[in-house]
């Protein structure tokens, strides 16, 4: 087996798993059109009490915010009954930060698409070179999977020890300003989305990602086992 075949297929599988990661994130965030997960989180953290809002109004804000983040709403402004007054739920800092979040999210989706396209091209090239897919693909997937599992284990341990520090580091790495630092006394959005919500969302993303990895992972193990059995 040519070494460049193995390197290429492993890199290709790294791209595929990256695409699965972004897809898992998208499913976790947008997989339920009624945002049932969000409602459960709001109930868990007693968001209605901290905002002095009805659940229906909070879900309306959520629906419009999520539409904005996915690019289906041009402006972020929701007039609602919050804290005993009819007013815009979002202030200027909210709008500026969520514009950054939208750019990051949509950019991630574009990277996912580019990864799929590049992975497809590499697979076509390998097929044209008559590479042994039955051996290469399972082996490459398992090698790429091992890399991601090591990284996931490191991140998992770090977040279980100190999620706040990891959450802060994430914002410092991906945002070039301090607009993500909110004051619960004046910013309604941070009351609606407390840190615990994001901690739970990370777990949700992780579970979905593992499920997405497991299906091709099991298939790769089975094919790899069959290939070795036939060789013996």
């Amino acid at each position: 087996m040519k070494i460049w075949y193995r390197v290429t297929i492993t890199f290709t599988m790294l791209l595929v798993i990256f695409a699965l990661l972004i897809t898992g994130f998208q499913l976790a965030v947008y997989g339920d059109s009624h945002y049932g997960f969000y409602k459960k989180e709001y109930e868990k953290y007693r968001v209605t009490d901290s905002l002095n809002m009805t659940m229906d109004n909070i879900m309306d804000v959520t629906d419009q915010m999520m539409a904005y983040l996915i690019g289906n709403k041009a402006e972020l402004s929701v007039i609602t009954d919050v804290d005993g007054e009819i007013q815009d739920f979002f202030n200027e800092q909210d709008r500026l930060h969520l514009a950054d979040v939208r750019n990051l999210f949509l950019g991630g989706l574009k990277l996912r698409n580019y990864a799929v396209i590049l992975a497809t091209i590499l697979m076509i090239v390998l097929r044209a070179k008559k590479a042994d897919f039955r051996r290469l693909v399972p082996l490459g997937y398992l090698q790429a999977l091992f890399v991601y599992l090591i990284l996931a284990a490191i991140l998992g341990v770090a977040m279980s020890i100190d999620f706040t520090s990891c959450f802060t580091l994430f914002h410092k790495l991906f945002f070039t300003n301090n607009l993500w630092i909110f004051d619960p006394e004046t910013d309604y959005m941070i009351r609606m989305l407390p840190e615990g919500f994001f901690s739970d969302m990370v777990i949700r993303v992780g579970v979905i990602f593992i499920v997405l990895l497991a299906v091709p992972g099991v298939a790769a193990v089975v094919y790899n086992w069959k290939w070795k059995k036939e060789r013996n």
Side-chain angles (χ1 to χ4, degrees), residues 185-200:
E185 293 297 322
T186 57
D187 301 307
Y188 297 130
M189 191 173 70
I190 196 61
R191 294 193 220 171
M192 185 175 77
L193 302 172
E195 185 177 295
F197 169 88
F198 293 102
S199 176
D200 295 341

Side-chain angles (χ1 to χ4, degrees), residues 5-221:
Y5 283 1
R6 296 186 62 172
V7 172
T8 302
I9 199 67
T10 300
F11 177 69
T12 301
M13 292 300 106
L14 286 170
L15 292 174
V16 169
I17 295 177
F18 172 77
L20 290 176
L21 173 61
I22 301 300
T23 299
F25 179 81
Q26 184 179 14
L27 288 173
V29 174
Y30 284 97
D32 176 10
S33 60
H34 299 291
Y35 302 112
F37 171 79
Y38 294 75
K39 185 176 181 179
K40 290 179 181 178
E41 290 292 294
Y42 297 153
E43 292 171 346
K44 176 180 178 179
Y45 293 106
R46 303 179 65 85
V47 169
T48 53
D49 293 338
S50 62
L51 287 171
N52 190 21
M53 291 178 69
T54 66
M55 182 61 75
D56 286 343
N57 284 344
I58 294 175
M59 294 308 297
D60 178 58
V61 170
T62 300
D63 186 66
Q64 296 194 53
M65 177 181 70
M66 300 307 290
Y68 172 80
L69 292 177
I70 199 68
N72 293 334
K73 181 178 172 67
E75 301 292 334
L76 184 63
S77 178
V78 183
I79 305 301
T80 187
D81 187 345
V82 53
D83 214 14
E85 296 182 27
I86 302 298
Q87 57 183 305
D88 197 329
F89 184 87
F90 299 101
N91 59 33
E92 189 60 23
Q93 181 179 346
D94 297 334
R95 279 184 272 273
L96 291 172
H97 177 60
L98 288 179
D100 290 340
V101 173
R102 180 171 67 170
N103 291 335
L104 182 64
F105 180 62
L106 295 179
L109 295 182
K110 287 182 180 178
L111 283 178
R112 187 265 309 275
N113 296 338
Y114 294 151
V116 171
I117 292 171
L118 180 54
T120 302
I121 292 172
L122 291 173
M123 292 289 279
I124 292 173
V125 170
L126 287 171
R127 174 59 73 182
K129 294 292 184 178
K130 301 187 184 304
D132 183 6
F133 270 24
R134 189 182 180 193
R135 173 58 176 160
L136 278 173
V137 173
L139 184 62
Y141 183 83
L142 292 175
Q143 290 173 337
L145 181 60
F146 178 76
V147 173
Y148 274 93
L149 289 178
I150 292 297
L151 294 175
I154 294 172
L155 288 174
V157 170
M159 286 189 287
S160 65
I161 293 174
D162 189 349
F163 180 82
T164 299
S165 295
C166 292
F167 195 52
T168 300
L169 180 60
F170 167 83
H171 283 85
K172 289 183 177 180
L173 288 174
F174 287 96
F175 297 100
T176 59
N177 51 55
N178 291 326
L179 293 171
W180 55 273
I181 301 176
F182 293 96
D183 181 356
E185 293 297 322
T186 57
D187 301 307
Y188 297 130
M189 191 173 70
I190 196 61
R191 294 193 220 171
M192 185 175 77
L193 302 172
E195 185 177 295
F197 169 88
F198 293 102
S199 176
D200 295 341
M201 178 61 80
V202 168
I203 295 173
R204 178 177 168 87
V205 172
V207 170
I208 294 175
F209 184 42
I210 289 172
V211 171
L212 292 176
L213 292 178
V215 176
V218 170
V221 170

